[in-house]
Amino acid sequence: MGLSAKQQDSGSSPRRSNGPTWELFDEQATAFEQRAGLPADYCRDIATTVVEIGRMGPDDLILEVGPGTGQIAQWFHQSFRYVGFDLSGGMLRESQRRLSDDAGNRSLIQADANSSWPLASGRARVIFSSRALHLIDHEHVAGEVFRVAAADGATLIFGRVERDRDSVRSRMAKEMNERLRRRGFEGRRGEQQNPKLVDACRRRGAEALEFREVASWNVSTSPRQSLDSWRCLTGLGGIRVPAQTRNEILNELEGWAEEEFGGLDRDFEAKESYALRFLRIPVA
Ligand SMILES: C[S@@+](CC[C@H](N)C(=O)[O-])C[C@H]1O[C@@H](n2cnc3c(N)ncnc32)[C@H](O)[C@@H]1O
């Protein structure tokens, strides 16, 4: 089987998720890496560590939820079977460009992680997701993880970028989310969701959560960089908000940042890292 981007439904557009997130990702697919991509130098290490943590053997299958542009997926060795699914056709097109498939055992599928996942029960040795599971209902994720997990044991692995709380990016994002909340919008923030997912998995019998930092790097960022990256999106905080509200928030933030950081163009050094958290799904 060659590499294919399939659409789960027969209609021209995929089933909608609860929120509008997929449309936002569709819009930003071509510029996603430039705006929010992972540092290219570390993606191979992330893939290697996922395979190591997942104790993958030949012919084992890895299921990736929300692979985006395939920055990590491209490094999974072709001796493993790989299924990646994402709601955004735009993101899938980007990852398809990147994933070659000599062995014919990789597939990319357009599907909504808030619906039934496109994999038969009991098939996955590893269920992996980077920076995407917080966008999906945690009880549904836990149910699907236990359904697709291989009967002789599997691992759920999820990755995210960690930032110091007092870095420019964290403080700008916190202020932006605070302003969204004051106007009655709840932005999507990873930190709030994943503990609920861990609880939901542990209630079903998953073992204790473990942690592995894969890479860390230094960044030098200015408040203006955060503002500019948000200005090129139609949404804010991962959700769709009216243009007027969005503009108001960004203008307010600009004034706040100017005062708080002593100018919008001052660069501040900060450490960022990529960490994997994982839970073992016991033998059924
Ligand atoms: C922040 S990006 C992360 C992409 C990639 N994993 C990475 O770390 O660079 C989140 C990805 O999840 C996908 N996504 C969001 N909601 C989804 C859903 N309900 N079902 C499937 N994929 C979804 C988006 O289209 C996007 O590709």
Side-chain angles (χ1 to χ4, degrees):
M1 181 180 65
L3 185 65
S4 62
K6 302 177 202 158
Q7 205 154 286
Q8 198 187 22
D9 297 331
S10 50
S12 58
S13 61
R15 285 169 62 172
R16 278 167 189 249
S17 201
N18 292 339
T21 327
W22 71 279
E23 293 171 319
L24 297 177
F25 280 109
D26 241 15
E27 284 165 13
Q28 57 172 299
T30 48
F32 176 78
E33 279 178 30
Q34 202 185 350
R35 195 189 70 78
L38 295 167
D41 290 351
Y42 302 119
C43 292
R44 188 182 206 146
D45 294 343
I46 297 170
T48 308
T49 313
V50 166
V51 166
E52 232 175 74
I53 290 173
R55 302 166 182 161
M56 293 197 55
D59 287 333
D60 275 348
L61 187 143
I62 177 164
L63 176 69
E64 184 174 7
V65 184
T69 58
Q71 274 196 292
I72 301 172
Q74 65 181 320
W75 297 111
F76 291 128
H77 197 273
Q78 291 188 8
S79 58
F80 302 120
R81 287 179 290 152
Y82 171 87
V83 175
F85 74 99
D86 199 298
L87 192 48
S88 158
M91 288 295 210
L92 283 173
R93 272 190 294 282
E94 295 300 311
S95 51
Q96 201 167 14
R97 256 200 277 277
R98 190 164 253 150
L99 267 69
S100 64
D101 188 25
D102 296 340
N105 55 4
R106 299 188 192 193
S107 33
L108 287 170
I109 300 170
Q110 188 171 19
D112 184 355
N114 279 313
S115 299
S116 181
W117 291 3
L119 190 71
S121 303
R123 295 287 167 83
R125 176 72 61 214
V126 165
I127 301 104
F128 170 61
S129 188
S130 169
R131 307 190 294 166
L133 287 185
H134 62 287
L135 302 168
I136 298 148
D137 177 76
H138 57 275
E139 287 294 339
H140 182 73
V141 172
E144 285 297 275
V145 164
F146 273 73
R147 182 183 68 76
V148 299
D152 53 348
T155 309
L156 166 65
I157 308 174
F158 48 95
R160 58 173 291 226
V161 172
E162 319 238 324
R163 300 192 167 96
D164 290 342
R165 278 164 175 248
D166 52 4
S167 68
V168 172
R169 280 186 181 159
S170 298
R171 290 178 63 198
M172 291 291 288
K174 184 164 174 259
E175 282 296 315
M176 184 262 285
N177 277 299
E178 190 54 47
R179 282 168 167 76
L180 274 174
R181 221 179 351 262
R182 274 189 230 144
R183 286 166 170 88
F185 297 97
E186 194 58 55
R188 293 177 180 268
R189 290 194 297 164
E191 314 80 78
Q192 292 178 339
Q193 291 292 325
N194 284 340
K196 292 186 187 163
L197 170 61
V198 172
D199 280 353
C201 289
R202 294 189 70 181
R203 264 189 277 116
R204 288 167 170 82
E207 289 165 16
L209 182 70
E210 295 181 59
F211 169 92
R212 181 99 58 94
E213 183 179 292
V214 183
S216 66
W217 57 90
N218 288 322
V219 286
S220 175
T221 50
S222 67
R224 192 182 300 282
Q225 280 171 306
S226 298
L227 289 166
D228 285 352
S229 76
W230 294 329
R231 282 211 166 92
C232 47
L233 302 174
T234 47
L236 201 58
I239 56 168
R240 207 176 269 292
V241 289
Q244 192 188 337
T245 310
R246 196 176 142 275
N247 290 341
E248 270 171 28
I249 292 178
L250 291 176
N251 290 341
E252 268 181 40
L253 266 179
E254 190 170 318
W256 174 84
E258 182 106 47
E259 204 156 297
E260 196 66 21
F261 297 103
L264 296 181
D265 294 306
R266 286 188 60 193
D267 282 329
F268 295 86
E269 291 273 323
K271 185 186 151 199
E272 295 187 346
S273 58
Y274 189 92
L276 292 170
R277 288 179 167 72
F278 55 103
L279 290 158
R280 303 278 178 211
I281 313 298
V283 172

